[in-house]
Amino acid sequence: MKKLRPSGGYRKAASFQTATLIYDATYWFCEKFIDSRSRTLDQMIQAARSGRQNIAEGSRAAATSSQTELRLVNVARSSLEELLLDYEDYLRHRHLRQWAPSSAESSAVREVPQRFKRDRSDLTDQTDQERWVLYAFWLEHESAEVRANAIICLIHQANFLLDRQIASLEAAFVEEGGYSEQLAAARLAERERRRNETSRHPTPAGAIPSCPQCGSPMVLRTARAGKNEGQQFWGCTGYPECRGVVKV
């Protein structure tokens, strides 16, 4: 049965793939450069993990709630912003240089996807391990300064992608409505289809008709009041939830 709204597919999303790089790189950065007794270690790893996991969870939630999807993607964006500040703090507190956005080092990291696409194919088609190799020069560097700056570049890329994703989700919600609204519209469309089907194929004499509104079997009833008092009609067995009727 076809889903009303698509969901999942997050593993092919550039935002999720970039967040995976950030999470892995942060895990190994903290393992090498952050004191294991420091609260900062847990906070950085959890922020990186939250950025990744909430993208995945939001994608799955899209099947039944556009609001939940939007909220979780916003949580992912906020978690990565928190992680960005942690890396900036790390460099500043240790008097290490933070690369300027226009520097050759920052540009080299940012241009990896473009160079890969130009030379081969789409980076999103690669495995996590294959993508890691493309950034290994920076992410496995012996210098904490190089690693931290490279991860900062990746966080900026992920945040840019998430900002676009959030804007797209907001626009879709305004244009198409939420899941409940889409479900109601689909139900009305199905009722109309069944009503038209019934009108094209009248019920044979003596046969029990199906409800033109919900498709349920009908039962013969007698009107107890009103202008049709005493007259028989077919009423939906789903009454009172469904009030579909067919004249005898």
Side-chain angles (χ1 to χ4, degrees), residues 63-101:
T64 57
S65 176
S66 50
Q67 294 99 322
T68 300
E69 179 187 17
L70 187 56
R71 178 178 61 80
L72 290 171
V73 174
N74 268 297
V75 171
R77 175 66 171 81
S78 298
S79 295
L80 291 179
E81 189 71 22
E82 177 186 341
L83 184 63
L84 173 64
L85 294 175
D86 284 332
Y87 278 110
E88 291 176 346
D89 291 345
Y90 180 91
L91 293 173
R92 187 177 65 258
H93 293 164
R94 290 159 180 78
H95 305 290
L96 300 175
R97 180 173 67 97
Q98 182 175 338
W99 298 344

Coordinates of all heavy atoms in Angstrom, one line a residue, residues 63-101:
A63 N 6.4 10.6 7.9 CA 5.3 9.8 7.4 C 4.0 10.2 8.0 O 2.9 10.1 7.4 CB 5.6 8.3 7.7
T64 N 4.0 10.6 9.3 CA 2.8 10.9 10.0 C 2.7 12.3 10.6 O 1.7 12.7 11.1 CB 2.5 9.9 11.1 OG1 3.7 9.9 12.0 CG2 2.4 8.5 10.6
S65 N 3.8 13.1 10.6 CA 3.8 14.4 11.2 C 4.8 15.3 10.6 O 6.0 15.2 10.9 CB 4.0 14.3 12.7 OG 4.0 15.6 13.3
S66 N 4.4 16.3 9.8 CA 5.3 17.3 9.3 C 5.8 18.2 10.4 O 7.0 18.7 10.3 CB 4.6 18.1 8.2 OG 3.4 18.6 8.6
Q67 N 5.0 18.5 11.4 CA 5.5 19.3 12.5 C 6.6 18.6 13.3 O 7.6 19.3 13.7 CB 4.3 19.6 13.5 CG 3.2 20.5 12.9 CD 2.0 19.7 12.4 OE1 2.2 18.6 11.9 NE2 0.8 20.2 12.6
T68 N 6.5 17.3 13.5 CA 7.5 16.6 14.2 C 8.8 16.6 13.4 O 9.9 16.8 14.0 CB 7.1 15.2 14.6 OG1 5.9 15.2 15.4 CG2 8.2 14.4 15.3
E69 N 8.7 16.3 12.1 CA 9.8 16.3 11.3 C 10.5 17.7 11.3 O 11.8 17.7 11.5 CB 9.4 16.1 9.8 CG 10.6 16.1 8.8 CD 10.2 15.9 7.4 OE1 9.0 16.2 7.1 OE2 11.0 15.6 6.5
L70 N 9.8 18.8 11.2 CA 10.4 20.1 11.3 C 11.0 20.4 12.6 O 12.1 20.9 12.7 CB 9.3 21.1 11.0 CG 9.7 22.6 10.8 CD1 10.8 22.7 9.7 CD2 8.5 23.5 10.4
R71 N 10.4 20.0 13.7 CA 10.9 20.2 15.0 C 12.2 19.4 15.2 O 13.2 20.0 15.7 CB 9.9 19.7 16.1 CG 10.4 19.9 17.5 CD 9.4 19.5 18.5 NE 9.0 18.1 18.4 CZ 9.7 17.1 18.8 NH1 10.8 17.2 19.5 NH2 9.2 15.8 18.7
L72 N 12.3 18.2 14.8 CA 13.5 17.4 14.9 C 14.7 17.9 14.1 O 15.8 17.9 14.5 CB 13.2 15.9 14.6 CG 12.3 15.2 15.7 CD1 11.9 13.9 15.1 CD2 13.1 15.1 17.0
V73 N 14.4 18.4 12.9 CA 15.5 18.9 12.0 C 16.0 20.2 12.7 O 17.2 20.5 12.6 CB 14.9 19.2 10.6 CG1 16.0 19.9 9.8 CG2 14.6 17.9 9.9
N74 N 15.1 21.0 13.3 CA 15.5 22.2 14.0 C 16.4 21.8 15.2 O 17.4 22.5 15.6 CB 14.3 23.0 14.5 CG 13.9 24.1 13.5 OD1 14.7 25.0 13.2 ND2 12.7 23.9 13.0
V75 N 16.1 20.7 15.9 CA 16.9 20.2 17.0 C 18.3 19.8 16.5 O 19.3 20.2 17.2 CB 16.2 19.0 17.7 CG1 17.2 18.4 18.7 CG2 14.9 19.5 18.4
A76 N 18.3 19.2 15.4 CA 19.6 18.8 14.8 C 20.5 20.0 14.5 O 21.7 20.1 14.8 CB 19.4 18.0 13.5
R77 N 19.8 21.0 13.9 CA 20.5 22.3 13.6 C 21.0 23.0 14.9 O 22.2 23.5 14.9 CB 19.5 23.2 12.9 CG 20.1 24.6 12.6 CD 21.2 24.6 11.6 NE 21.6 25.9 11.1 CZ 22.3 26.7 11.8 NH1 22.8 26.4 12.9 NH2 22.6 27.9 11.2
S78 N 20.2 23.0 15.9 CA 20.6 23.6 17.2 C 21.8 22.9 17.8 O 22.7 23.5 18.4 CB 19.5 23.7 18.2 OG 18.4 24.4 17.6
S79 N 21.8 21.5 17.7 CA 22.8 20.7 18.3 C 24.2 21.0 17.6 O 25.2 21.1 18.3 CB 22.5 19.2 18.2 OG 21.4 18.9 19.0
L80 N 24.1 21.1 16.3 CA 25.4 21.4 15.6 C 25.9 22.8 15.9 O 27.1 23.0 15.9 CB 25.2 21.2 14.1 CG 24.9 19.7 13.7 CD1 24.7 19.6 12.2 CD2 26.1 18.8 14.1
E81 N 25.0 23.7 16.1 CA 25.4 25.1 16.5 C 26.1 25.1 17.8 O 27.1 25.7 18.0 CB 24.2 26.0 16.5 CG 24.5 27.5 16.7 CD 25.1 28.1 15.4 OE1 24.9 27.5 14.3 OE2 25.8 29.1 15.5
E82 N 25.6 24.3 18.8 CA 26.2 24.1 20.1 C 27.6 23.5 19.9 O 28.6 23.9 20.5 CB 25.4 23.2 20.9 CG 26.0 22.9 22.3 CD 25.2 21.8 23.1 OE1 24.0 21.6 22.7 OE2 25.7 21.2 24.0
L83 N 27.7 22.5 19.0 CA 29.0 21.9 18.8 C 30.0 22.8 18.2 O 31.2 22.8 18.5 CB 28.8 20.6 17.9 CG 30.1 19.8 17.6 CD1 30.6 19.2 18.9 CD2 29.8 18.7 16.6
L84 N 29.5 23.7 17.3 CA 30.4 24.7 16.6 C 31.0 25.6 17.7 O 32.2 25.9 17.6 CB 29.5 25.5 15.7 CG 30.2 26.7 15.0 CD1 31.3 26.3 14.1 CD2 29.2 27.5 14.2
L85 N 30.2 26.0 18.6 CA 30.7 26.9 19.7 C 31.8 26.1 20.5 O 32.8 26.8 21.0 CB 29.6 27.4 20.6 CG 28.6 28.3 20.0 CD1 27.4 28.6 20.9 CD2 29.2 29.6 19.5
D86 N 31.6 24.8 20.8 CA 32.6 24.1 21.5 C 33.9 24.0 20.8 O 35.0 24.2 21.5 CB 32.1 22.6 21.7 CG 31.0 22.5 22.8 OD1 31.0 23.4 23.7 OD2 30.2 21.6 22.7
Y87 N 33.9 23.9 19.5 CA 35.2 23.9 18.8 C 35.8 25.2 18.7 O 37.1 25.4 18.8 CB 35.0 23.3 17.3 CG 34.9 21.8 17.3 CD1 33.8 21.1 17.0 CD2 36.1 21.1 17.5 CE1 33.7 19.7 17.0 CE2 36.1 19.7 17.4 CZ 34.9 19.0 17.2 OH 34.9 17.7 17.1
E88 N 35.0 26.3 18.6 CA 35.6 27.6 18.6 C 36.2 27.9 20.0 O 37.2 28.5 20.1 CB 34.5 28.6 18.2 CG 34.0 28.5 16.8 CD 32.8 29.5 16.5 OE1 32.2 30.0 17.4 OE2 32.6 29.7 15.3
D89 N 35.5 27.5 21.0 CA 36.0 27.7 22.4 C 37.3 26.9 22.6 O 38.3 27.4 23.2 CB 35.0 27.2 23.4 CG 33.8 28.0 23.5 OD1 33.8 29.2 22.9 OD2 32.8 27.6 24.1
Y90 N 37.4 25.7 22.0 CA 38.6 24.9 22.1 C 39.8 25.7 21.5 O 40.9 25.8 22.2 CB 38.5 23.6 21.4 CG 39.7 22.7 21.5 CD1 39.8 21.8 22.6 CD2 40.7 22.8 20.6 CE1 41.0 21.0 22.6 CE2 41.8 22.0 20.6 CZ 41.9 21.1 21.7 OH 43.1 20.3 21.8
L91 N 39.6 26.2 20.4 CA 40.7 26.9 19.7 C 41.1 28.2 20.5 O 42.3 28.5 20.7 CB 40.3 27.3 18.3 CG 40.2 26.1 17.3 CD1 39.6 26.5 16.0 CD2 41.5 25.4 17.1
R92 N 40.1 29.0 20.9 CA 40.3 30.2 21.5 C 41.0 30.0 22.9 O 41.9 30.8 23.2 CB 39.0 31.0 21.7 CG 39.2 32.4 22.2 CD 37.8 33.1 22.3 NE 36.9 32.5 23.2 CZ 35.9 31.8 22.9 NH1 35.6 31.5 21.6 NH2 35.1 31.3 23.9
H93 N 40.6 29.1 23.7 CA 41.1 28.9 25.0 C 42.6 28.4 24.9 O 43.3 28.5 25.9 CB 40.3 27.8 25.8 CG 38.9 28.4 26.1 ND1 37.9 27.5 26.5 CD2 38.4 29.6 26.1 CE1 36.8 28.3 26.7 NE2 37.1 29.5 26.4
R94 N 43.0 27.8 23.8 CA 44.3 27.3 23.7 C 45.2 28.2 22.8 O 46.3 27.8 22.4 CB 44.3 25.9 23.2 CG 43.8 24.9 24.2 CD 43.3 23.6 23.6 NE 42.8 22.7 24.6 CZ 41.6 22.8 25.2 NH1 40.8 23.8 24.9 NH2 41.2 21.9 26.1
H95 N 44.7 29.4 22.4 CA 45.4 30.3 21.6 C 45.8 29.7 20.3 O 46.9 30.0 19.8 CB 46.6 30.9 22.4 CG 46.3 31.5 23.7 ND1 45.6 32.6 23.9 CD2 46.5 31.0 25.0 CE1 45.4 32.9 25.2 NE2 46.0 31.9 25.8
L96 N 44.9 28.9 19.7 CA 45.1 28.3 18.4 C 44.4 29.1 17.4 O 43.4 29.7 17.6 CB 44.7 26.9 18.4 CG 45.4 25.9 19.4 CD1 44.7 24.5 19.3 CD2 46.9 25.8 19.1
R97 N 44.9 29.1 16.1 CA 44.3 29.9 15.1 C 43.0 29.3 14.5 O 43.0 28.1 14.3 CB 45.3 30.0 13.9 CG 44.8 30.9 12.7 CD 45.9 31.1 11.7 NE 46.3 29.9 11.1 CZ 45.9 29.5 9.9 NH1 45.0 30.2 9.2 NH2 46.3 28.3 9.3
Q98 N 42.0 30.1 14.4 CA 40.8 29.6 13.7 C 40.9 30.1 12.2 O 41.1 31.3 12.0 CB 39.5 30.1 14.4 CG 38.3 29.6 13.7 CD 37.0 30.0 14.4 OE1 37.0 30.3 15.6 NE2 35.9 30.0 13.7
W99 N 40.7 29.2 11.3 CA 40.8 29.6 9.9 C 39.7 30.6 9.5 O 38.5 30.4 9.9 CB 40.6 28.4 9.0 CG 41.6 27.3 9.2 CD1 42.9 27.4 9.8 CD2 41.6 25.9 8.7 NE1 43.6 26.3 9.8 CE2 42.8 25.3 9.1 CE3 40.6 25.2 8.1 CZ2 43.1 24.0 8.8 CZ3 40.9 23.9 7.8 CH2 42.1 23.3 8.2
A100 N 40.0 31.6 8.8 CA 39.0 32.5 8.2 C 38.2 31.8 7.1 O 38.8 30.9 6.5 CB 39.7 33.7 7.7
P101 N 37.0 32.2 7.0 CA 36.1 31.5 6.0 C 36.7 31.6 4.6 O 36.5 30.7 3.7 CB 34.8 32.2 6.0 CG 34.8 32.7 7.5 CD 36.2 33.1 7.8

